[in-house]
Amino acid sequence: MTRNRQFLFAKRPEGTPTPDVFTPREREVPGVSEGQFLVRNLYLSMDPALVARMRDEDNYTESVAVGDVMHAYGIGQVIESKLDGVSRGDVLLGRLDMQEYAICDETTVRTKVNVGLAKPSWYLGTVGVTGATAYFGLLDIGRPKRGETVVVSSGASSVGATAAQLAKREGCRIVAIVSTDEKAARTQREFGYDAVVSYRDKGVDVLTAALRAACPDGVDVYFDNTGGDISEALLDLYNDFARIIVCGRVATSHLADTKLDRGRRDQNAVLTKRIRKQGFVLLDYKSRMPEATLQLAKWVRQGKIKLQEDILEGIDQVPAAFFRMLEGRNHGKQLVHLADVDRDLLDGSERIGRLLVSRYFPTERLARAVGRRAAASV
């Protein structure tokens, strides 16, 4: 029998998650029943949003129950199926959790992906969930204009770096906020930021002064991946009619409950500057995901969007990868590699994927058409 190594969610953290929130388990993979399919996980993604799933509070995603396999998004390949519409060999993106194999059924939310269009790991980063977060968050909510200043917190992350590069394509000045001076230098060099500011060991006032120097013309768009003191430091820097995309809250990951977050209220700045502040959840754009995937895959293959991946090998590295991400020590999208695609099981559709992002194919026109059609159907 095939053995499945997993990591269970052992306890709800009181503050910042610690290694004892995970406990390993190994068990046999059960047989596939009618209406089910078995996925071999290829890559698992370590994301800040997993911290929210550890909390027992209202959220836009479900909380993981103590004792269950810890949630995580992943890419996997179907190796056995007894469910109509799912075929052996399909490569799927979905919540596959921190384990080597996943038994799924018709209730499992998943998307079939094309490994000719993009490499499997890319779907967990720039071409998939995180890239689409940057794509729709920045372009639909932020709506940057040429000459404006766009600030991105967690500017070295997959979401942050992609959002910044998209803003650069729109002709904006781009400024990153990252954790350390060492990361600041590397991030500016690798992603072409006009300025990068580090926040570690800086109080709000000191960080505000550093950001003011980096943004001499004020701030027009803020892609907020962090919240907390980092976001508070920008309150006096916004220009009239600035836009704030609230995308993440990793700066409050040390709190047992987000209601404990304390800081300066932003009502006065929002009112006097007529700021538009909007939360962003990718689930709202589910129908338009193919648009982002097509466009981002083409830009990555053309070298117009750079991506970085920080990959640890093997299921045993899942906790290390999680805390590497949480502490900001990763250099790019944090992934764990478990297995490779079995290309002998593919159905040949990868050839179509390669065509769609080939040099002379009008990918951008197709992406726009797909997006318009999806938006019209909502």
Side-chain angles (χ1 to χ4, degrees):
M1 292 288 292
T2 302
R3 306 292 291 180
N4 186 20
R5 290 180 291 172
Q6 307 168 314
F7 280 94
L8 306 184
F9 179 54
K11 54 179 280 191
R12 298 206 185 279
E14 293 297 323
T16 302
T18 51
D20 59 357
V21 300
F22 299 126
T23 187
R25 180 177 72 179
E26 184 173 336
R27 66 191 311 182
E28 292 182 351
V29 177
V32 178
S33 301
E34 288 298 324
Q36 294 182 328
F37 57 97
L38 175 63
V39 175
R40 184 182 187 187
N41 291 343
L42 308 176
Y43 289 91
L44 296 178
S45 177
M46 300 296 113
D47 301 302
L50 295 179
V51 177
R53 291 177 178 267
M54 295 179 176
R55 297 191 178 108
D56 187 16
E57 61 179 60
D58 290 338
N59 210 323
Y60 61 86
T61 55
E62 62 180 316
S63 296
V64 58
V66 173
D68 283 358
V69 179
M70 180 60 202
H71 295 182
Y73 277 86
I75 287 283
Q77 187 170 28
V78 178
I79 57 177
E80 185 179 354
S81 178
K82 294 183 179 179
L83 177 65
D84 290 344
V86 177
S87 301
R88 184 168 182 257
D90 286 352
V91 179
L92 305 178
L93 165 67
R95 212 206 80 198
L96 301 174
D97 298 341
M98 294 183 178
Q99 56 188 345
E100 292 178 297
Y101 295 88
I103 289 283
C104 306
D105 58 29
E106 62 181 3
T107 67
T108 304
V109 178
R110 75 276 180 186
T111 301
K112 183 178 178 180
V113 302
N114 190 304
V115 296
L117 193 72
K119 295 180 180 180
S121 63
W122 293 4
Y123 284 102
L124 292 170
T126 303
V127 172
V129 173
T130 56
T133 297
Y135 181 91
F136 292 119
L138 181 79
L139 300 180
D140 273 36
I141 298 176
R143 299 184 182 181
K145 303 178 183 67
R146 179 171 295 277
E148 290 188 327
T149 295
V150 177
V151 176
V152 182
S153 58
S154 291
S157 68
S158 181
V159 171
T162 304
Q165 291 178 82
L166 292 172
K168 195 72 169 180
R169 287 180 56 83
E170 298 295 318
C172 298
R173 175 180 174 80
I174 54 173
V175 177
I177 304 174
V178 299
S179 56
T180 65
D181 291 341
E182 181 275 332
K183 181 174 278 191
R186 186 179 67 249
T187 299
Q188 187 164 17
R189 181 176 63 252
E190 292 173 349
F191 296 112
Y193 282 101
D194 295 290
V196 182
V197 173
S198 64
Y199 64 80
R200 190 158 294 170
D201 300 323
K202 291 184 175 75
V204 172
D205 291 343
V206 175
L207 182 56
T208 295
L211 286 165
R212 192 185 300 278
C215 307
D217 297 320
V219 175
D220 300 290
V221 179
Y222 175 39
F223 201 105
D224 186 358
N225 287 307
T226 55
D229 291 348
I230 296 169
S231 299
E232 182 179 318
L234 285 158
L235 276 178
D236 294 324
L237 305 183
Y238 290 116
N239 293 324
D240 289 351
F241 305 106
R243 287 83 70 199
I244 302 172
I245 307 107
V246 180
C247 186
R249 47 191 171 177
V250 71
T252 60
S253 63
H254 61 290
L255 300 175
D257 190 318
T258 53
K259 297 185 184 70
L260 300 174
D261 188 24
R262 296 290 184 271
R264 177 180 162 192
R265 292 178 173 84
D266 64 4
Q267 185 80 357
N268 187 61
V270 170
L271 175 63
T272 59
K273 298 294 183 67
R274 287 86 77 205
I275 295 168
R276 180 159 57 86
K277 182 177 183 180
Q278 182 174 334
F280 174 85
V281 176
L282 184 60
L283 294 173
D284 297 336
Y285 288 81
K286 181 180 176 182
S287 66
R288 290 179 59 190
M289 278 293 292
E291 171 193 348
T293 297
L294 277 168
Q295 186 59 83
L296 290 165
K298 181 65 169 280
W299 283 339
V300 170
R301 290 194 177 278
Q302 290 178 322
K304 294 179 178 180
I305 295 288
K306 296 179 181 179
L307 62 78
Q308 283 190 332
E309 296 175 327
D310 191 323
I311 302 176
L312 300 187
E313 294 287 337
I315 190 69
D316 293 339
Q317 294 298 311
V318 162
F322 175 83
F323 288 104
R324 184 175 172 84
M325 172 277 301
L326 191 62
E327 296 163 8
R329 293 183 286 113
N330 55 307
H331 305 313
K333 177 64 183 179
Q334 187 65 68
L335 302 170
V336 178
H337 175 236
L338 305 180
D340 294 322
V341 171
D342 185 341
R343 296 191 173 274
D344 290 337
L345 297 180
L346 297 177
D347 60 8
S349 61
E350 69 275 13
R351 293 191 292 269
I352 298 174
R354 287 194 291 270
L355 171 65
L356 294 178
V357 290
S358 59
R359 182 176 180 182
Y360 295 110
F361 190 86
T363 309
E364 188 166 350
R365 190 185 310 163
L366 175 62
R368 288 197 302 267
V370 168
R372 285 194 300 269
R373 188 180 307 116
S377 66
V378 174

